[in-house]
PDB file of all heavy atoms in Angstrom:
ATOM      1  N   THR A 146       0.836  -1.194   0.000  1.00 88.00           N
ATOM      2  CA  THR A 146       0.000   0.000   0.000  1.00 88.00           C
ATOM      3  C   THR A 146       0.873   1.247   0.000  1.00 88.00           C
ATOM      4  O   THR A 146       1.562   1.539   0.973  1.00 88.00           O
ATOM      5  CB  THR A 146      -0.931   0.005   1.210  1.00 88.00           C
ATOM      6  OG1 THR A 146      -1.721  -1.187   1.217  1.00 88.00           O
ATOM      7  CG2 THR A 146      -1.864   1.208   1.163  1.00 88.00           C
ATOM      8  N   PHE A 147       0.819   1.986  -1.086  1.00 91.00           N
ATOM      9  CA  PHE A 147       1.685   3.136  -1.284  1.00 91.00           C
ATOM     10  C   PHE A 147       1.505   4.199  -0.209  1.00 91.00           C
ATOM     11  O   PHE A 147       2.482   4.827   0.224  1.00 91.00           O
ATOM     12  CB  PHE A 147       1.417   3.717  -2.677  1.00 91.00           C
ATOM     13  CG  PHE A 147       2.300   4.865  -3.051  1.00 91.00           C
ATOM     14  CD1 PHE A 147       3.658   4.688  -3.231  1.00 91.00           C
ATOM     15  CD2 PHE A 147       1.760   6.128  -3.250  1.00 91.00           C
ATOM     16  CE1 PHE A 147       4.473   5.744  -3.594  1.00 91.00           C
ATOM     17  CE2 PHE A 147       2.565   7.190  -3.620  1.00 91.00           C
ATOM     18  CZ  PHE A 147       3.920   6.997  -3.792  1.00 91.00           C
ATOM     19  N   SER A 148       0.288   4.414   0.234  1.00 91.00           N
ATOM     20  CA  SER A 148       0.004   5.477   1.190  1.00 91.00           C
ATOM     21  C   SER A 148       0.592   5.219   2.571  1.00 91.00           C
ATOM     22  O   SER A 148       0.580   6.120   3.415  1.00 91.00           O
ATOM     23  CB  SER A 148      -1.503   5.702   1.303  1.00 91.00           C
ATOM     24  OG  SER A 148      -2.157   4.526   1.750  1.00 91.00           O
ATOM     25  N   ARG A 149       1.114   4.047   2.834  1.00 92.00           N
ATOM     26  CA  ARG A 149       1.735   3.729   4.119  1.00 92.00           C
ATOM     27  C   ARG A 149       3.166   4.261   4.223  1.00 92.00           C
ATOM     28  O   ARG A 149       3.783   4.149   5.285  1.00 92.00           O
ATOM     29  CB  ARG A 149       1.750   2.228   4.352  1.00 92.00           C
ATOM     30  CG  ARG A 149       0.367   1.603   4.519  1.00 92.00           C
ATOM     31  CD  ARG A 149       0.469   0.099   4.673  1.00 92.00           C
ATOM     32  NE  ARG A 149      -0.840  -0.527   4.832  1.00 92.00           N
ATOM     33  CZ  ARG A 149      -1.036  -1.830   4.893  1.00 92.00           C
ATOM     34  NH1 ARG A 149       0.004  -2.665   4.812  1.00 92.00           N
ATOM     35  NH2 ARG A 149      -2.263  -2.311   5.033  1.00 92.00           N
ATOM     36  N   TYR A 150       3.690   4.830   3.146  1.00 95.00           N
ATOM     37  CA  TYR A 150       5.083   5.234   3.104  1.00 95.00           C
ATOM     38  C   TYR A 150       5.262   6.722   2.884  1.00 95.00           C
ATOM     39  O   TYR A 150       4.611   7.320   2.024  1.00 95.00           O
ATOM     40  CB  TYR A 150       5.810   4.497   1.973  1.00 95.00           C
ATOM     41  CG  TYR A 150       5.808   3.002   2.116  1.00 95.00           C
ATOM     42  CD1 TYR A 150       4.771   2.236   1.582  1.00 95.00           C
ATOM     43  CD2 TYR A 150       6.839   2.358   2.779  1.00 95.00           C
ATOM     44  CE1 TYR A 150       4.764   0.857   1.723  1.00 95.00           C
ATOM     45  CE2 TYR A 150       6.838   0.982   2.916  1.00 95.00           C
ATOM     46  CZ  TYR A 150       5.803   0.240   2.388  1.00 95.00           C
ATOM     47  OH  TYR A 150       5.811  -1.132   2.525  1.00 95.00           O
ATOM     48  N   ALA A 151       6.150   7.314   3.666  1.00 96.00           N
ATOM     49  CA  ALA A 151       6.735   8.578   3.261  1.00 96.00           C
ATOM     50  C   ALA A 151       7.709   8.275   2.128  1.00 96.00           C
ATOM     51  O   ALA A 151       8.305   7.196   2.088  1.00 96.00           O
ATOM     52  CB  ALA A 151       7.462   9.242   4.427  1.00 96.00           C
ATOM     53  N   MET A 152       7.856   9.203   1.199  1.00 97.00           N
ATOM     54  CA  MET A 152       8.686   8.962   0.031  1.00 97.00           C
ATOM     55  C   MET A 152       9.759  10.025  -0.104  1.00 97.00           C
ATOM     56  O   MET A 152       9.520  11.207   0.177  1.00 97.00           O
ATOM     57  CB  MET A 152       7.837   8.943  -1.241  1.00 97.00           C
ATOM     58  CG  MET A 152       6.791   7.837  -1.274  1.00 97.00           C
ATOM     59  SD  MET A 152       7.531   6.173  -1.310  1.00 97.00           S
ATOM     60  CE  MET A 152       8.399   6.224  -2.888  1.00 97.00           C
ATOM     61  N   GLY A 153      10.924   9.602  -0.556  1.00 98.00           N
ATOM     62  CA  GLY A 153      12.023  10.530  -0.724  1.00 98.00           C
ATOM     63  C   GLY A 153      12.783  10.310  -2.012  1.00 98.00           C
ATOM     64  O   GLY A 153      12.680   9.257  -2.645  1.00 98.00           O
ATOM     65  N   TRP A 154      13.525  11.337  -2.397  1.00 98.00           N
ATOM     66  CA  TRP A 154      14.456  11.269  -3.526  1.00 98.00           C
ATOM     67  C   TRP A 154      15.864  11.552  -3.015  1.00 98.00           C
ATOM     68  O   TRP A 154      16.079  12.507  -2.257  1.00 98.00           O
ATOM     69  CB  TRP A 154      14.112  12.276  -4.618  1.00 98.00           C
ATOM     70  CG  TRP A 154      12.911  11.925  -5.439  1.00 98.00           C
ATOM     71  CD1 TRP A 154      11.629  12.341  -5.250  1.00 98.00           C
ATOM     72  CD2 TRP A 154      12.892  11.096  -6.602  1.00 98.00           C
ATOM     73  NE1 TRP A 154      10.814  11.826  -6.217  1.00 98.00           N
ATOM     74  CE2 TRP A 154      11.560  11.051  -7.067  1.00 98.00           C
ATOM     75  CE3 TRP A 154      13.860  10.381  -7.310  1.00 98.00           C
ATOM     76  CZ2 TRP A 154      11.172  10.322  -8.195  1.00 98.00           C
ATOM     77  CZ3 TRP A 154      13.483   9.655  -8.424  1.00 98.00           C
ATOM     78  CH2 TRP A 154      12.153   9.630  -8.854  1.00 98.00           C
ATOM     79  N   PHE A 155      16.802  10.719  -3.437  1.00 98.00           N
ATOM     80  CA  PHE A 155      18.215  10.888  -3.144  1.00 98.00           C
ATOM     81  C   PHE A 155      18.983  10.872  -4.459  1.00 98.00           C
ATOM     82  O   PHE A 155      18.494  10.375  -5.470  1.00 98.00           O
ATOM     83  CB  PHE A 155      18.727   9.764  -2.240  1.00 98.00           C
ATOM     84  CG  PHE A 155      18.173   9.788  -0.841  1.00 98.00           C
ATOM     85  CD1 PHE A 155      16.865   9.404  -0.583  1.00 98.00           C
ATOM     86  CD2 PHE A 155      18.968  10.185   0.225  1.00 98.00           C
ATOM     87  CE1 PHE A 155      16.353   9.419   0.699  1.00 98.00           C
ATOM     88  CE2 PHE A 155      18.472  10.196   1.516  1.00 98.00           C
ATOM     89  CZ  PHE A 155      17.165   9.819   1.753  1.00 98.00           C
ATOM     90  N   ARG A 156      20.196  11.392  -4.439  1.00 98.00           N
ATOM     91  CA  ARG A 156      21.024  11.344  -5.640  1.00 98.00           C
ATOM     92  C   ARG A 156      22.465  11.052  -5.272  1.00 98.00           C
ATOM     93  O   ARG A 156      22.931  11.381  -4.185  1.00 98.00           O
ATOM     94  CB  ARG A 156      20.933  12.655  -6.432  1.00 98.00           C
ATOM     95  CG  ARG A 156      21.488  13.878  -5.719  1.00 98.00           C
ATOM     96  CD  ARG A 156      21.189  15.142  -6.514  1.00 98.00           C
ATOM     97  NE  ARG A 156      21.728  16.327  -5.884  1.00 98.00           N
ATOM     98  CZ  ARG A 156      21.502  17.565  -6.294  1.00 98.00           C
ATOM     99  NH1 ARG A 156      20.729  17.777  -7.358  1.00 98.00           N
ATOM    100  NH2 ARG A 156      22.048  18.592  -5.655  1.00 98.00           N
ATOM    101  N   GLN A 157      23.171  10.443  -6.218  1.00 98.00           N
ATOM    102  CA  GLN A 157      24.565  10.104  -6.006  1.00 98.00           C
ATOM    103  C   GLN A 157      25.354  10.408  -7.270  1.00 98.00           C
ATOM    104  O   GLN A 157      25.153   9.777  -8.307  1.00 98.00           O
ATOM    105  CB  GLN A 157      24.727   8.638  -5.623  1.00 98.00           C
ATOM    106  CG  GLN A 157      26.149   8.261  -5.251  1.00 98.00           C
ATOM    107  CD  GLN A 157      26.239   6.889  -4.621  1.00 98.00           C
ATOM    108  OE1 GLN A 157      25.333   6.074  -4.755  1.00 98.00           O
ATOM    109  NE2 GLN A 157      27.328   6.635  -3.920  1.00 98.00           N
ATOM    110  N   ALA A 158      26.231  11.389  -7.162  1.00 97.00           N
ATOM    111  CA  ALA A 158      27.122  11.728  -8.254  1.00 97.00           C
ATOM    112  C   ALA A 158      28.349  10.828  -8.203  1.00 97.00           C
ATOM    113  O   ALA A 158      28.704  10.305  -7.147  1.00 97.00           O
ATOM    114  CB  ALA A 158      27.538  13.195  -8.174  1.00 97.00           C
ATOM    115  N   ARG A 159      29.007  10.660  -9.341  1.00 95.00           N
ATOM    116  CA  ARG A 159      30.203   9.835  -9.385  1.00 95.00           C
ATOM    117  C   ARG A 159      31.266  10.367  -8.444  1.00 95.00           C
ATOM    118  O   ARG A 159      31.574  11.559  -8.453  1.00 95.00           O
ATOM    119  CB  ARG A 159      30.745   9.749 -10.804  1.00 95.00           C
ATOM    120  CG  ARG A 159      30.052   8.678 -11.642  1.00 95.00           C
ATOM    121  CD  ARG A 159      30.781   8.457 -12.941  1.00 95.00           C
ATOM    122  NE  ARG A 159      30.491   9.503 -13.900  1.00 95.00           N
ATOM    123  CZ  ARG A 159      29.482   9.470 -14.755  1.00 95.00           C
ATOM    124  NH1 ARG A 159      28.651   8.440 -14.759  1.00 95.00           N
ATOM    125  NH2 ARG A 159      29.300  10.466 -15.600  1.00 95.00           N
ATOM    126  N   GLY A 160      31.786   9.490  -7.610  1.00 95.00           N
ATOM    127  CA  GLY A 160      32.814   9.859  -6.672  1.00 95.00           C
ATOM    128  C   GLY A 160      32.320  10.498  -5.392  1.00 95.00           C
ATOM    129  O   GLY A 160      33.134  10.897  -4.553  1.00 95.00           O
ATOM    130  N   LYS A 161      31.004  10.602  -5.223  1.00 96.00           N
ATOM    131  CA  LYS A 161      30.439  11.218  -4.035  1.00 96.00           C
ATOM    132  C   LYS A 161      29.459  10.272  -3.355  1.00 96.00           C
ATOM    133  O   LYS A 161      28.975   9.310  -3.947  1.00 96.00           O
ATOM    134  CB  LYS A 161      29.735  12.527  -4.389  1.00 96.00           C
ATOM    135  CG  LYS A 161      30.652  13.594  -4.960  1.00 96.00           C
ATOM    136  CD  LYS A 161      29.898  14.884  -5.208  1.00 96.00           C
ATOM    137  CE  LYS A 161      30.820  15.957  -5.752  1.00 96.00           C
ATOM    138  NZ  LYS A 161      30.080  17.227  -5.999  1.00 96.00           N
ATOM    139  N   GLU A 162      29.154  10.569  -2.103  1.00 96.00           N
ATOM    140  CA  GLU A 162      28.190   9.785  -1.357  1.00 96.00           C
ATOM    141  C   GLU A 162      26.769  10.163  -1.742  1.00 96.00           C
ATOM    142  O   GLU A 162      26.506  11.263  -2.233  1.00 96.00           O
ATOM    143  CB  GLU A 162      28.391   9.977   0.148  1.00 96.00           C
ATOM    144  CG  GLU A 162      29.717   9.448   0.661  1.00 96.00           C
ATOM    145  CD  GLU A 162      29.840   9.550   2.164  1.00 96.00           C
ATOM    146  OE1 GLU A 162      28.945  10.132   2.802  1.00 96.00           O
ATOM    147  OE2 GLU A 162      30.837   9.040   2.703  1.00 96.00           O
ATOM    148  N   ARG A 163      25.848   9.243  -1.524  1.00 96.00           N
ATOM    149  CA  ARG A 163      24.447   9.516  -1.798  1.00 96.00           C
ATOM    150  C   ARG A 163      23.935  10.610  -0.862  1.00 96.00           C
ATOM    151  O   ARG A 163      24.167  10.572   0.347  1.00 96.00           O
ATOM    152  CB  ARG A 163      23.640   8.230  -1.618  1.00 96.00           C
ATOM    153  CG  ARG A 163      22.210   8.321  -2.115  1.00 96.00           C
ATOM    154  CD  ARG A 163      21.537   6.950  -2.069  1.00 96.00           C
ATOM    155  NE  ARG A 163      22.226   5.981  -2.914  1.00 96.00           N
ATOM    156  CZ  ARG A 163      21.850   4.720  -3.063  1.00 96.00           C
ATOM    157  NH1 ARG A 163      20.782   4.263  -2.412  1.00 96.00           N
ATOM    158  NH2 ARG A 163      22.545   3.910  -3.851  1.00 96.00           N
ATOM    159  N   GLU A 164      23.215  11.582  -1.427  1.00 97.00           N
ATOM    160  CA  GLU A 164      22.729  12.694  -0.635  1.00 97.00           C
ATOM    161  C   GLU A 164      21.218  12.855  -0.768  1.00 97.00           C
ATOM    162  O   GLU A 164      20.616  12.540  -1.794  1.00 97.00           O
ATOM    163  CB  GLU A 164      23.417  14.002  -1.034  1.00 97.00           C
ATOM    164  CG  GLU A 164      23.096  14.477  -2.438  1.00 97.00           C
ATOM    165  CD  GLU A 164      23.642  15.866  -2.736  1.00 97.00           C
ATOM    166  OE1 GLU A 164      24.022  16.579  -1.795  1.00 97.00           O
ATOM    167  OE2 GLU A 164      23.681  16.230  -3.936  1.00 97.00           O
ATOM    168  N   PHE A 165      20.621  13.384   0.272  1.00 97.00           N
ATOM    169  CA  PHE A 165      19.193  13.648   0.300  1.00 97.00           C
ATOM    170  C   PHE A 165      18.844  14.805  -0.615  1.00 97.00           C
ATOM    171  O   PHE A 165      19.566  15.803  -0.684  1.00 97.00           O
ATOM    172  CB  PHE A 165      18.761  13.968   1.733  1.00 97.00           C
ATOM    173  CG  PHE A 165      17.353  14.468   1.852  1.00 97.00           C
ATOM    174  CD1 PHE A 165      16.287  13.583   1.818  1.00 97.00           C
ATOM    175  CD2 PHE A 165      17.090  15.816   1.995  1.00 97.00           C
ATOM    176  CE1 PHE A 165      14.982  14.034   1.925  1.00 97.00           C
ATOM    177  CE2 PHE A 165      15.799  16.284   2.105  1.00 97.00           C
ATOM    178  CZ  PHE A 165      14.739  15.391   2.068  1.00 97.00           C
ATOM    179  N   VAL A 166      17.713  14.688  -1.321  1.00 98.00           N
ATOM    180  CA  VAL A 166      17.235  15.742  -2.199  1.00 98.00           C
ATOM    181  C   VAL A 166      15.909  16.317  -1.703  1.00 98.00           C
ATOM    182  O   VAL A 166      15.778  17.518  -1.481  1.00 98.00           O
ATOM    183  CB  VAL A 166      17.073  15.251  -3.646  1.00 98.00           C
ATOM    184  CG1 VAL A 166      16.487  16.353  -4.529  1.00 98.00           C
ATOM    185  CG2 VAL A 166      18.409  14.773  -4.199  1.00 98.00           C
ATOM    186  N   ALA A 167      14.907  15.463  -1.546  1.00 98.00           N
ATOM    187  CA  ALA A 167      13.579  15.917  -1.149  1.00 98.00           C
ATOM    188  C   ALA A 167      12.773  14.748  -0.621  1.00 98.00           C
ATOM    189  O   ALA A 167      13.045  13.593  -0.942  1.00 98.00           O
ATOM    190  CB  ALA A 167      12.848  16.563  -2.334  1.00 98.00           C
ATOM    191  N   ALA A 168      11.763  15.051   0.192  1.00 97.00           N
ATOM    192  CA  ALA A 168      10.879  14.014   0.712  1.00 97.00           C
ATOM    193  C   ALA A 168       9.528  14.614   1.049  1.00 97.00           C
ATOM    194  O   ALA A 168       9.408  15.826   1.266  1.00 97.00           O
ATOM    195  CB  ALA A 168      11.481  13.351   1.949  1.00 97.00           C
ATOM    196  N   LEU A 169       8.517  13.759   1.106  1.00 96.00           N
ATOM    197  CA  LEU A 169       7.191  14.191   1.521  1.00 96.00           C
ATOM    198  C   LEU A 169       6.511  13.098   2.327  1.00 96.00           C
ATOM    199  O   LEU A 169       6.829  11.921   2.196  1.00 96.00           O
ATOM    200  CB  LEU A 169       6.343  14.644   0.327  1.00 96.00           C
ATOM    201  CG  LEU A 169       5.680  13.629  -0.615  1.00 96.00           C
ATOM    202  CD1 LEU A 169       4.890  14.385  -1.678  1.00 96.00           C
ATOM    203  CD2 LEU A 169       6.665  12.684  -1.253  1.00 96.00           C
ATOM    204  N   SER A 170       5.571  13.517   3.157  1.00 95.00           N
ATOM    205  CA  SER A 170       4.891  12.619   4.066  1.00 95.00           C
ATOM    206  C   SER A 170       3.889  11.733   3.336  1.00 95.00           C
ATOM    207  O   SER A 170       3.686  11.849   2.128  1.00 95.00           O
ATOM    208  CB  SER A 170       4.189  13.421   5.165  1.00 95.00           C
ATOM    209  OG  SER A 170       3.235  14.306   4.600  1.00 95.00           O
ATOM    210  N   MET A 171       3.251  10.853   4.083  1.00 93.00           N
ATOM    211  CA  MET A 171       2.338   9.869   3.504  1.00 93.00           C
ATOM    212  C   MET A 171       1.231  10.491   2.653  1.00 93.00           C
ATOM    213  O   MET A 171       0.890   9.965   1.585  1.00 93.00           O
ATOM    214  CB  MET A 171       1.703   9.035   4.621  1.00 93.00           C
ATOM    215  CG  MET A 171       2.696   8.186   5.396  1.00 93.00           C
ATOM    216  SD  MET A 171       2.015   7.578   6.963  1.00 93.00           S
ATOM    217  CE  MET A 171       0.681   6.554   6.382  1.00 93.00           C
ATOM    218  N   SER A 172       0.701  11.605   3.113  1.00 92.00           N
ATOM    219  CA  SER A 172      -0.372  12.277   2.391  1.00 92.00           C
ATOM    220  C   SER A 172       0.137  13.347   1.434  1.00 92.00           C
ATOM    221  O   SER A 172      -0.640  13.875   0.630  1.00 92.00           O
ATOM    222  CB  SER A 172      -1.347  12.918   3.373  1.00 92.00           C
ATOM    223  OG  SER A 172      -0.730  13.991   4.059  1.00 92.00           O
ATOM    224  N   GLY A 173       1.415  13.684   1.536  1.00 92.00           N
ATOM    225  CA  GLY A 173       1.965  14.772   0.756  1.00 92.00           C
ATOM    226  C   GLY A 173       1.835  16.126   1.420  1.00 92.00           C
ATOM    227  O   GLY A 173       2.230  17.139   0.837  1.00 92.00           O
TER     228      GLY A 173
END
C-alpha cells in the first residue's frame, strides 16, 4: 500500500556519497 510510506528522492554523483534531495509525508 503506497500510502503507508513517506517517500524521498536521493542522488549520487560519481565519486560522491548519496545525498538527500527531497521528501514528503504519507499524504503529501
Side-chain angles (χ1 to χ4, degrees):
T146 303
F147 183 66
S148 60
R149 294 177 180 175
Y150 299 89
M152 298 295 296
W154 286 95
F155 292 74
R156 65 187 181 187
Q157 186 169 19
R159 276 190 282 271
K161 297 183 179 180
E162 295 185 354
R163 190 172 299 180
E164 66 172 345
F165 171 79
V166 176
L169 78 179
S170 60
M171 296 164 63
S172 68

